[in-house]
Amino acid sequence: MERGVRGRVVVGLDGSAQSVKALRLAARIAPALDADITTVGAWEYPEEYAGYVPLGSDNFAEVTKKRMDDAIAEAFGAEVPPQLERKVVFGRPSKALVREGRDADLLIVGRRGHGGFRGLLLGSVSAACVSHAACPVLVVHEDSD
């Protein structure tokens, strides 16, 4: 990072408990990195919509933004960090997060485990981020503090 240029911590935010924890952790880490926080909420048309709903005719972006706003409120209440940027983007979440992480100092995502043996595995988004991101990736587990 160049002197005088603030860094950036990117957080994948989908409203899950892990993503809210990831956001809280970003707020603790960002000052040490002299970094701003960018939350990223990604959406895409569900497969069953293909051919049935004209592009742009539904409110998936608004739902994603509301889910993001609710998660930010859950994480911080009225004390939202001043250097927090919100981004809602169209696209596959893993690709959107890897793209946003290109110039970030850190990418933080939640792990969407299902308990038991499957709970030992990373979710597809977190695994893709770990495999393809250009920056370090921190994966937050549901039971982590």
Side-chain angles (χ1 to χ4, degrees), residues 23-80:
L23 183 54
R24 287 183 184 133
L25 186 57
R28 292 187 2 221
I29 293 173
L33 298 175
D34 192 28
D36 297 332
I37 301 169
T38 301
T39 60
V40 177
W43 68 275
E44 57 186 349
Y45 290 105
E47 288 183 29
E48 61 269 13
Y49 274 63
Y52 297 104
V53 176
L55 292 179
S57 67
D58 220 320
N59 64 346
F60 295 111
E62 290 84 11
V63 169
T64 302
K65 183 184 180 311
K66 172 141 179 34
R67 188 175 295 142
M68 178 182 289
D69 291 343
D70 291 347
I72 291 168
E74 181 181 345
F76 303 120
E79 301 295 321
V80 176

Side-chain angles (χ1 to χ4, degrees), residues 83-130:
Q83 302 296 333
L84 187 133
E85 176 189 10
R86 303 165 199 224
K87 278 189 160 184
V88 174
V89 298
F90 174 76
R92 190 171 290 285
S94 56
K95 289 183 178 184
L97 290 167
V98 167
R99 185 174 52 249
E100 288 295 326
R102 281 190 302 220
D103 63 347
D105 297 291
L106 180 64
L107 172 59
I108 307 178
V109 295
R111 181 199 69 132
R112 304 272 284 183
H114 298 283
F117 176 72
R118 287 175 49 178
L120 297 175
L121 304 173
L122 290 177
S124 60
V125 172
S126 55
C129 290
V130 167

